[in-house]
Amino acid sequence: MKYIKIQVIAVLLLALTISGCKKYLDINNDPGSPQTPNLSALLPPVTAVMSRTMVLDGRFAGAYIQNFSNTAASENNDVHGGNTPNGGGNQAWRDFYTTQGTAINLMIKQGIASEQWDYVGAAQALRAWGLQNATDVFSDMPYYEAWELNRVYFRYNNQKTLYRVVDSLCRVALSYLDRSDGKVSKPVMARGDLVYAGERSRWTRFVYGILARNWNHLSNKPEYNADSVISYVNKSMISNADNFLVTHSASRNDDTNPLGPARDNFSTRRQSRFMVQLLDGTTFYNNTFAASRDPRLSKMLSASPDTSTITPNMPTLNGGYRFLAPAVGFVVGTTGAAFRQAPSTFWGDSVIINGAATNFTARVGKYLFQNNASLPIMTFFEMQFIKAEAAFRKGDLVTALAAYQAGIAAHIDFVNSVNTTANAVTQISAAEKSAYLGSAAVKQTVGTLTISDIMLQKYIGDFGWNFNESWADLRRYHYFDLDPVTLQQVYRNFAITTFSSLNLGPKPAYRSRPTGFSENDWNLDELRRIGALNQDYHTYEMWFSQP
């Protein structure tokens, strides 16, 4: 938490630096040197950082959930060894408190003073999103004392409390977004709103989406209310046009998609067995014949340079879509047959080594793994899968089936929309989409739909961006819970073959450790109190996933 104090001091020093040559005591009287930046200048960086928050932590959560596996056999997250205090996996901590946190505080304070309620509502929404994302990664965190400048010790609030805070923040955000008095102005809001161009109604839908996530994560709790989840979804995204997207111009490092080749965050991360087999027909058909393959396979994943040699990482002819087994990878840069048969990078077919690092060029890569691809923070199709799960749990199978099918259809459309800027990636045709939606991979009747069908299709939709939501889902189902209808795992074929010795037993990861950069210096007693100094702390089950 030391960063909070440093960040605020830095902001104050910056204000003094740019205030001109007048005496310090005269600064408030200088109309040409305002002390506070315009709200339209504060909002863009607060939203822009969201994709970085998701992706940089997603490098680690994505291994837990097997979106990908790592080429380094020693990679700790593949074997659920947890993050180190001063290592990765804690970007959300720093972004919530500093990169976003102080700016949001200023937006709220200044927005209330100037009666710009639309900006205040957006700021409260972003605070709710940040807290939901962060507590789903770390569990207990400081909130009520977080930004108090006279403190060097910050009390952690438990996750049950933080979930209630998220709910309260959402309701405050809604109340401000509903106001049209004061200096609420769509044109003024649009100057800083790079996501929704000042449309308060779309910000409102985003807030209801946060509520839908928040309440749906309580599916194991007695207080879980499927009707409330469905109601929140119905008030959220209407279509893919409402997707919350962070855009990237790809002109330099800071405005380039962190999933793209220029940022080079994913060179050692390759598509996993679990993901490949969801799309190549293995999971849904138990074969990989061409007719069994999902049309999204070639649009989301990458084919190996060798599409025909059967190996353990491509056990059947599936078009050449190899995978990397967890903690049993190849060495990037090796030569020979094994190298040729290796899984390609996410950036393109037959691309084994990233040759485009620091090359800020658009149209390189496919799907979300492009330098200039917009990254979603929340989507319509995700909301539909949440609705399908809630309706299924309620026993409303008609609604569940309709939402499940709508989610798949919307995700196919989303894949196409993202690939319009990709290099030489063709679209999924209307005929291909229709054929898949009518295939045996997609359940057609209420009597055949299972919770596993819903969660696996949601996993496909969330692949590559919604790492923490997928991780929340897998944790809610304790990775290996059984579908009561099929008596198979909800996440069919998901397996953790090796566990780290750091786990003190074969236990999967449930949380990340707080960043040690501040907490080891300032909050050691709190870390000790919640058990965060224990070797296996990362395996402690989350409050939201417990009964």
Side-chain angles (χ1 to χ4, degrees):
M1 301 306 299
K2 178 170 58 178
Y3 284 134
I4 296 170
K5 194 167 186 177
I6 292 173
Q7 179 80 6
V8 175
I9 292 172
V11 170
L12 293 174
L13 289 175
L14 179 61
L16 294 178
T17 302
I18 64 175
S19 64
C21 299
K22 292 178 70 71
K23 294 179 181 179
Y24 172 70
L25 293 177
D26 293 333
I27 188 171
N28 290 327
N29 298 322
D30 184 1
S33 301
Q35 285 204 71
T36 53
N38 193 286
L39 292 180
S40 63
L42 286 172
L43 185 55
V46 171
T47 55
V49 77
M50 297 166 82
S51 65
R52 185 191 70 174
T53 304
M54 293 179 68
V55 171
L56 295 189
D57 280 346
R59 294 174 301 174
F60 305 95
Y64 292 151
I65 63 177
Q66 294 179 20
N67 267 198
F68 49 76
S69 299
N70 289 270
T71 60
S74 61
E75 170 57 45
N76 204 33
N77 295 85
D78 276 338
V79 294
H80 287 242
N83 65 320
T84 59
N86 293 329
N90 47 39
Q91 188 67 45
W93 187 282
R94 285 176 277 178
D95 285 345
F96 176 69
Y97 290 116
T98 60
T99 312
Q100 277 194 319
T102 50
I104 289 175
N105 290 342
L106 184 56
M107 286 176 62
I108 293 171
K109 180 179 179 180
Q110 187 173 324
I112 291 174
S114 61
E115 298 185 341
Q116 292 177 275
W117 313 125
D118 41 4
Y119 273 102
V120 177
Q124 297 282 10
L126 294 172
R127 171 65 42 84
W129 175 87
L131 182 57
Q132 182 71 62
N133 182 66
T135 189
D136 285 342
V137 174
F138 303 107
S139 187
D140 298 7
M141 300 174 65
Y143 181 76
Y144 288 112
E145 298 178 354
W147 292 281
E148 292 184 9
L149 295 181
N150 60 340
R151 287 186 174 274
V152 294
Y153 170 90
F154 297 85
R155 183 80 175 176
Y156 282 40
N157 302 112
N158 62 44
Q159 188 170 66
K160 181 178 181 180
T161 298
L162 296 179
Y163 258 63
R164 291 173 175 169
V165 170
V166 171
D167 181 275
S168 296
L169 288 170
C170 285
R171 298 183 193 282
V172 171
L174 291 171
S175 69
Y176 280 113
L177 290 168
D178 190 49
R179 295 184 66 166
S180 57
D181 61 319
K183 295 181 181 178
V184 170
S185 167
K186 179 180 176 181
V188 174
M189 177 73 165
R191 294 172 192 167
D193 182 7
L194 304 182
V195 179
Y196 288 139
E199 290 281 357
R200 285 182 293 130
S201 61
R202 298 170 79 191
W203 277 98
T204 295
R205 291 170 200 152
F206 171 61
V207 175
Y208 278 114
I210 299 171
L211 283 168
R213 283 181 180 175
N214 179 276
W215 283 56
N216 198 51
H217 286 184
L218 306 182
S219 58
N220 293 333
K221 301 287 186 187
E223 60 265 34
Y224 175 75
N225 189 316
D227 285 328
S228 293
V229 174
I230 294 169
S231 175
Y232 295 141
V233 170
N234 288 342
K235 295 175 182 177
S236 69
M237 279 74 175
I238 297 174
S239 70
N240 278 336
D242 285 331
N243 292 347
F244 192 114
L245 302 175
V246 174
T247 58
H248 303 96
S249 62
S251 62
R252 55 192 173 88
N253 186 80
D254 289 350
D255 58 21
T256 296
N257 177 2
L259 287 172
R263 293 288 295 271
D264 201 31
N265 286 315
F266 281 75
S267 284
T268 62
R269 296 169 171 89
R270 307 297 166 98
Q271 57 207 29
S272 69
R273 176 196 60 80
F274 183 64
M275 184 60 189
V276 168
Q277 292 184 344
L278 279 173
L279 296 180
D280 75 358
T282 301
T283 299
F284 291 115
Y285 287 99
N286 202 31
N287 70 67
T288 59
F289 302 146
S292 301
R293 298 173 201 159
D294 192 312
R296 294 171 288 187
L297 174 64
S298 62
K299 318 305 178 186
M300 297 173 65
L301 303 182
S302 297
S304 168
D306 185 339
T307 62
S308 59
T309 304
I310 300 298
T311 68
N313 70 349
M314 194 182 81
T316 58
L317 291 177
N318 66 358
Y321 292 88
R322 299 182 185 278
F323 53 79
L324 205 63
V328 187
F330 68 96
V331 178
V332 174
T334 57
T335 58
F339 182 64
R340 176 174 173 76
Q341 295 162 10
S344 296
T345 69
F346 285 111
W347 301 307
D349 297 337
S350 303
V351 179
I352 303 298
I353 297 176
N354 179 23
T358 71
N359 180 8
F360 303 105
T361 303
R363 303 189 67 84
V364 175
K366 65 166 61 174
Y367 193 43
L368 296 170
F369 303 92
Q370 305 172 59
N371 287 335
N372 62 321
S374 296
L375 284 188
I377 303 300
M378 183 182 290
T379 63
F380 167 73
F381 52 85
E382 175 203 351
M383 290 295 112
Q384 291 304 296
F385 291 127
I386 289 175
K387 180 178 179 178
E389 181 188 6
F392 188 91
R393 288 178 173 277
K394 179 186 174 183
D396 183 355
L397 300 185
V398 173
T399 297
L401 181 67
Y404 154 81
Q405 292 175 339
I408 299 171
H411 182 248
I412 292 174
D413 293 340
F414 176 78
V415 172
N416 276 344
S417 69
V418 175
N419 278 325
T420 57
T421 59
N423 185 30
V425 179
T426 59
Q427 297 279 284
I428 298 170
S429 69
E432 290 173 316
K433 176 183 175 182
S434 178
Y436 181 73
L437 290 175
S439 71
V442 178
K443 295 302 172 62
Q444 307 296 314
T445 64
V446 296
T448 57
L449 182 67
T450 69
I451 195 65
S452 181
D453 295 312
I454 295 168
M455 300 313 298
L456 289 176
Q457 287 291 346
K458 184 185 179 190
Y459 181 97
I460 293 171
D462 287 345
F463 167 79
W465 67 277
N466 213 3
F467 302 105
N468 287 336
E469 177 68 9
S470 283
W471 192 18
D473 289 343
L474 276 154
R475 288 175 288 174
R476 286 192 295 119
Y477 288 93
H478 306 98
Y479 289 91
F480 306 112
D481 283 358
L482 301 182
D483 184 318
V485 174
T486 66
L487 299 182
Q488 299 180 49
Q489 287 179 194
V490 170
Y491 289 91
R492 294 197 292 270
N493 295 333
F494 185 91
I496 305 172
T497 56
T498 306
F499 286 94
S500 169
S501 60
L502 299 174
N503 293 26
L504 302 182
K507 298 180 293 186
Y510 274 86
R511 62 181 69 192
S512 290
R513 289 181 174 83
T515 177
F517 292 109
S518 59
E519 303 312 285
N520 285 354
D521 291 335
W522 297 87
N523 269 344
L524 201 60
D525 288 342
E526 278 296 272
L527 293 182
R528 187 176 293 110
R529 182 181 68 82
I530 66 173
L533 300 180
N534 297 340
Q535 178 177 310
D536 61 344
Y537 176 71
H538 65 287
T539 68
Y540 293 2
E541 189 173 349
M542 289 288 203
W543 169 82
F544 76 74
S545 64
Q546 297 177 33

